[in-house]
Amino acid sequence: MTALFDVILPVFLVVGFGYLVCWRKWLTEVAVDGVMRFAQNFALPVLLFSAIARLDLGANYNPLLLLAFYCGAILSFLLGVALARYWLKRPIEDAIAIGFVCLFSNSLLLGVPITERAYGAEALVGNFTIISIHSPLLYTFGITAMEFARAQGQNLPLGRVALRALSGVLHTPLVIGILCGFAMNLMGLAGLVMPDGFWAAVTMMSSAALPAALFGLGGILYRYRPEGEMRAIALCCFGSLLLHPAVTFGLGKLFALSIAEMRSAVVTAAMPPGVNAYLFAALYGVAKRVSASAVLVATGLSILTVWFWLGALP
């Protein structure tokens, strides 16, 4: 019970506070959108910039850690697409959007604060290793799959489809923050060091990122209602909350990951789908109700499932 009350509930209380504020109309939807836009477009990219800039790229990039996490993510996507297409009889574009919900865990807004509260700030190295390629890799994967599905019968060149996918990813603020972090990291290896005042400003901006994002997430979730096909919502919850972390846990054991790496990988994999999973569906205008409802339902259920996975970890 300690993990539930001391680790998980504080994070979800901030989300719940944002939900309450929006429900009681103490802030307008426009104001909540402003908070979320600040968090997603500015504060969170700065947080990622800071974390990636200070990573020890040689020591922390264990390919087995990344393989354990992303094999679970891709398997969840493939199962989600297959069942949505052949069991639920959804169009291929809908199936890809549902698969993306199973694929894209809320690694930053929820995974980082829960890991930090459970194991301390020093345990976040593995989280940021995963997050450093999370958005670039999975957005590229999802956008490419969707573009290829939409290009069927249009005879679009392969290069044009790939370029469209890459362009969409590179314009994402979180990806820009990650790429700038890598650039700063390499500059540091070359002996170019930024002054302390610069890093003090980065720290101030970073410290606002997670509270603002969690509060804004609660406000955004208030707008969604559990509606649409409940079997599709259940499929998304199963893929994101159970299958992904189970595969990651099993592969982590097989690969003999360290305790710290297992914690980062499994906790990150156990996170519910983030709002970006809905935004992906909204971008293409497919499966929006299912995606929005799955984000809301899975976020609520994750209070219990994350508690289970924390108990299963050393």
Side-chain angles (χ1 to χ4, degrees):
M1 294 294 287
T2 301
L4 178 63
F5 288 104
D6 293 346
V7 175
I8 300 170
L9 282 185
V11 174
F12 282 93
L13 282 175
V14 179
V15 177
F17 185 48
Y19 191 100
L20 173 67
V21 165
C22 199
W23 172 48
R24 300 302 301 170
K25 310 298 183 185
W26 295 334
L27 278 180
T28 65
E29 288 190 0
V30 173
V32 173
D33 285 340
V35 172
M36 203 60 178
R37 193 172 296 114
F38 161 75
Q40 287 191 313
N41 292 351
F42 303 101
L44 288 172
V46 171
L47 174 64
L48 290 176
F49 164 81
S50 175
I52 303 303
R54 293 167 174 170
L55 270 182
D56 184 342
L57 298 179
N60 297 324
Y61 273 79
N62 181 355
L64 294 179
L65 165 67
L66 298 175
L67 190 63
F69 178 86
Y70 286 106
C71 279
I74 298 300
L75 183 60
S76 296
F77 173 83
L78 294 175
L79 181 68
V81 171
L83 290 179
R85 183 76 172 126
Y86 299 109
W87 176 46
L88 302 178
K89 308 301 183 183
R90 303 295 290 254
I92 184 60
E93 291 89 349
D94 282 22
I96 291 173
I98 290 170
F100 194 82
V101 176
C102 299
L103 170 82
F104 203 94
S105 55
N106 200 337
S107 58
L108 183 57
L109 271 64
L110 294 178
V112 167
I114 287 176
T115 303
E116 183 175 16
R117 291 197 61 81
Y119 305 116
E122 65 280 359
L124 293 176
V125 172
N127 291 61
F128 285 119
T129 300
I130 292 169
I131 291 169
S132 68
I133 64 171
H134 190 258
S135 289
L137 178 63
L138 298 187
Y139 267 125
T140 301
F141 180 81
I143 291 173
T144 302
M146 186 66 80
E147 291 295 341
F148 273 109
R150 291 164 67 94
Q152 288 181 353
Q154 299 180 20
N155 296 319
L156 291 178
L158 177 63
R160 182 177 174 185
V161 174
L163 184 62
R164 185 187 299 176
L166 182 62
S167 175
V169 171
L170 293 179
H171 283 83
T172 306
L174 294 179
V175 174
I176 293 172
I178 290 168
L179 294 177
C180 290
F182 277 118
M184 182 60 69
N185 196 305
L186 296 175
M187 288 171 58
L189 294 176
L192 300 175
V193 180
M194 298 298 290
D196 290 342
F198 171 83
W199 290 112
V202 167
T203 300
M204 290 174 64
M205 191 74 165
S206 300
S207 64
L210 291 176
L214 290 171
F215 178 86
L217 175 63
I220 295 294
L221 288 177
Y222 169 72
R223 303 175 193 176
Y224 302 153
R225 296 292 184 273
E227 58 182 359
E229 190 172 332
M230 295 308 296
R231 292 184 302 168
I233 296 170
L235 171 60
C236 294
C237 293
F238 171 76
S240 60
L241 300 180
L242 298 176
L243 179 61
H244 186 181
V247 172
T248 301
F249 185 89
L251 290 178
K253 290 287 190 181
L254 178 65
F255 298 154
L257 297 181
S258 68
I259 291 177
E261 289 171 334
M262 278 287 290
R263 289 170 172 174
S264 292
V266 174
V267 171
T268 305
M271 292 302 105
V275 173
N276 284 333
Y278 165 72
L279 296 178
F280 177 83
L283 175 65
Y284 289 100
V286 295
K288 292 190 292 184
R289 288 197 310 168
V290 168
S291 299
S293 299
V295 170
L296 176 61
V297 173
T299 300
L301 290 176
S302 68
I303 296 176
L304 297 178
T305 57
V306 171
W307 182 27
F308 166 78
W309 288 112
L310 287 176
L313 287 166

